[in-house]
Amino acid sequence: MPVLNSLDALIEALKRLPGVGQKSAQRMAYHLLQHDRLAMPRLADALTAAGENIKHCERCHTFSEAPICGVCADVERDARLLCVVETPADQAALERTASYRGYYFVLLGRLSPLDGIGTRQIGAAELLARAAEESVEEVILATSFTAEGEATAHVLAEALKARGIKSTRLARGVPVGSELEYVDLGTIAHALTDRR
């Protein structure tokens, strides 16, 4: 295999980011080299520090520099509620709404049998143990509405039900501010079915 020069190595490294192809990686690399060389060491330092310091919370599995994240350490949160999400990014999105004050459990993925990702890989056993704690009254399944997310929610709901633990699923429907004629038919159908 040929040895990459520094520019090619930078482009190859940038292509590892999600949604970044060859052209986007080239654009980023050229921008940094031509317009913002001062950002390059800061970016490298931030990547190194994040790689060394950020781990997973021992309780919920989100990203944290401490063994227990700030959310899990917050005793003011509602211990009766446990929200299950696929990724730390999903947890951050829910937190930005400022409408949920319970705790979380981050699966770090979703079921995908074709990729060899089963219940063990997403931490289902740890979730069931966490949900069985005395204080938990409801587990909110906030997985995505993709086929894998739906399958994950279904499998977890069945496992929780078998243990006598109440679970609910995020509602879905027409986005706020949208006009009905422009909403896809699947979303309209789910909104009708899940109406309240």
Side-chain angles (χ1 to χ4, degrees):
M1 181 170 185
V3 176
L4 298 178
N5 65 39
S6 296
L7 176 58
D8 291 337
L10 175 59
I11 292 168
E12 286 301 312
L14 290 168
K15 281 174 40 181
R16 295 185 60 91
L17 296 171
V20 177
Q22 181 71 27
K23 288 187 178 189
S24 295
Q26 284 177 327
R27 221 175 2 261
M28 286 185 240
Y30 290 138
H31 171 81
L32 287 168
L33 290 167
Q34 187 172 351
H35 300 291
D36 203 359
R37 282 187 180 253
L38 293 176
M40 295 178 80
R42 288 194 343 248
L43 182 59
D45 290 345
L47 286 168
T48 300
E52 291 173 355
N53 299 326
I54 297 175
K55 309 288 187 248
H56 291 287
C57 172
E58 294 172 2
R59 188 153 170 79
C60 75
H61 301 157
T62 196
F63 293 133
S64 177
E65 289 193 38
I68 301 295
C69 72
V71 171
C72 288
D74 183 355
V75 295
E76 299 296 316
R77 297 189 78 99
D78 188 347
R80 297 172 299 167
L81 300 174
L82 182 65
C83 184
V84 178
V85 294
E86 292 176 10
T87 67
D90 294 339
Q91 178 191 357
L94 284 170
E95 279 296 288
R96 283 192 303 274
T97 70
S99 61
Y100 176 72
R101 292 294 303 156
Y103 291 103
Y104 294 93
F105 187 91
V106 181
L107 296 172
L108 300 175
R110 58 184 168 224
L111 296 177
S112 181
L114 294 176
D115 296 319
I117 300 172
T119 55
R120 176 180 285 161
Q121 288 75 23
I122 64 170
E126 293 94 332
L127 167 62
L128 294 173
R130 174 81 172 82
E133 292 178 4
E134 281 183 27
S135 58
V136 177
E137 294 177 10
E138 177 184 356
V139 175
I140 303 164
L141 299 171
T143 57
S144 61
F145 291 106
T146 63
E148 294 90 352
E150 291 283 7
T152 302
H154 176 74
V155 168
L156 294 176
E158 290 298 313
L160 290 162
K161 182 179 177 182
R163 288 162 178 77
I165 301 168
K166 176 185 175 186
S167 70
T168 56
R169 182 83 168 105
L170 279 186
R172 58 183 160 190
V174 179
V176 173
S178 64
E179 295 185 33
L180 205 54
E181 68 181 294
Y182 300 114
V183 176
D184 70 274
L185 299 178
T187 300
I188 293 172
H190 283 294
L192 282 170
T193 302
D194 299 337
R195 68 188 182 276
R196 52 183 166 118

